[in-house]
Amino acid sequence: MDKKFDRQVNRKGTASQKWEKYGDSDILPMWVADTDFMSPPSVIEALHERIDHGVFGYTNVPTELNQLVIERMQSLYQWQISSDDIVWLPGLVCGLNLACRAVGASGDTVISPKPVYPPFMSAPRLSDREVCTVPLKENNQHFTIDLDALEKSLTDRSRLLLFCNPHNPGGAVYRQEELEALASIIIQHDLYICSDEIHCDLILEAGLQHTPIASIGEEISRRTITLMAPSKTYNIAGLGCSFAIITDKQLRQQFINVRKGIVPDVNLLGYTAAIAAYKAGDEWNQQQLDYLRENRDYLQREINLIPGLKLLPIEATYLAWIDISGAKLTNPAHFFEQAGVGMSPGRDFGDANYMRLNFGCPRSTLEEAIRRIKAAIINELPA
Ligand SMILES: Cc1ncc(COP(=O)(O)O)c(C=O)c1O
C-alpha cells in the first residue's frame, strides 16, 4: 500500500475549514469533504512553476484544459463533446444555483433526492423556486432514487431535477439501467436535469464505473447540465475550478445569462492545477483509490461491529453514511464530538438517523476515530 497517503500533514494554522472548526480541542475533524492528502506532485510542481512566473493578471480559459476535458469525456465515457459545451465555474455549488435560475421561472418546482448534500435543498429556495424532495430507497444494499415516488411528485410546475451521481451521501453509483429509467422520466415529462458528478473519479467498488447521464443519448443530453471538477479527486477544492458541460445551445445560453456579472471567472491557479491533474494525475489517483478502498473496507468492518451502528457498502466517494439510529442518541453530533470525532450530522442532509464520516485521511487517523467511536458507544450501553 502506498505510504504517501499514510503521511500526517499538519493542516492546523492553514485556515483549513475542516481543521479550524474545532480549534485546539482534541476532536478529529472528519466532516467537510476534502481529504488530508497532499495533491499529486505534478499538481504541486505546476503550481510552483506558475507562481515563479510572478505575474498574475486576468486570464482566459486555457485551450489545453478544454482539450483535456474533451479527451477525458471521450476516453472515459465515449462521450463526444466540444469546447463550446464547456462552461468553467469557480465551484459546483454555484453551478447548482445557476442551474436552478437558468431553468423555468420563479415559483417553479425543483426536485431533489433526499438525503443529499445540503446545497441541493437550499439552491432552489435561494433561486426563488420551490423544492420538492424525493426519497432514496435501499435496494439490495444499494441506494437508489425511488422513481415511483419521483413520478408521483411531479406537478405542472416541475421543471428541473437535481441529481447526484455518485450520490453524496452514501456513495451510490447509478447503474446504466437506473440512468436509462431516470432519463426516460425526464424526457417524458419535459423536465431538465442538473447532474452533479463531482465524485465521478472516486469509484471504489470493483466492476462499477461512472456513466454521465448526458452520455447515454442525444435526447437526455439536450436536457442536461452536467457538473464536474477535479477538486475532490485531487484535493484542490480550495482552488475553485469546476465546469459545466451543456450540449444544448439554448440551455447553455440561459445558464451563461444568469451568471453574467455575478459569478467570477476561475482564477489562474485553479486552471493551472486542473491542467496538471487531468494531464498527469491518473496514476496518482489509482494509488489514492487503492488506499481509500482499504480505508473503506476497514471502516465497514469496524463500524458494523459496533452495537447500534450500521454501514452499507460504499460504492464511491470517501464519505461514509453511517446509520446510527440503533444507538438511540439524543444529540448524535454532540455525542461524537464529546467522544473526539467531528462528523457531519445526517440532519443537515435530510435524515437525522445518520452521521457522515469523511475517511479521506491517513489510516492511523481513521483507526483512532474508530477507537473513540467504539469506546463512546460501549460506554453508553446499559450495564
Ligand atoms: C455532491 C457535491 N457537490 C458539490 C460539492 C461542492 O462543490 P464546490 O466546493 O465546488 O462548490 C460537494 C462537496 O462536498 C459535493 O459533495
Side-chain angles (χ1 to χ4, degrees), residues 33 90-94 96 117 120 164 168 196 198-199 231-232 237 242 319 356:
L92 245 82
V93 170
C94 116
L96 291 169
Y117 177 59
F120 278 60
C164 192
N168 170 19
D196 177 335
I198 195 170
H199 297 284
S231 51
K232 300 288 166 191
S242 322
L319 306 165
R356 195 190 73 170

Side-chain angles (χ1 to χ4, degrees), residues 5 33-35 37 40 72 76-77 165-168 170-174 196-206 208-211 228-237 278 281-293 296 313-320 356 358-361:
F5 299 102
D34 63 27
T35 71
F37 305 140
R72 200 172 174 83
L76 293 176
Y77 314 121
N165 180 28
H167 192 83
N168 170 19
V173 175
Y174 288 94
D196 177 335
E197 304 183 7
I198 195 170
H199 297 284
C200 63
D201 300 313
L202 294 168
I203 311 288
L204 301 178
E205 192 56 31
L208 291 183
Q209 58 184 36
H210 178 71
T211 305
M228 288 183 178
S231 51
K232 300 288 166 191
T233 318
Y234 300 100
N235 210 20
I236 49 176
Y278 283 155
D282 279 351
E283 192 184 332
W284 179 93
N285 189 35
Q286 289 313 317
Q287 294 162 355
Q288 171 177 240
L289 289 173
D290 288 342
Y291 195 89
L292 289 175
R293 229 169 255 128
R296 173 198 67 170
I314 302 162
E315 296 171 350
T317 77
Y318 45 77
L319 306 165
R356 195 190 73 170
N358 176 345
F359 60 90
C361 60

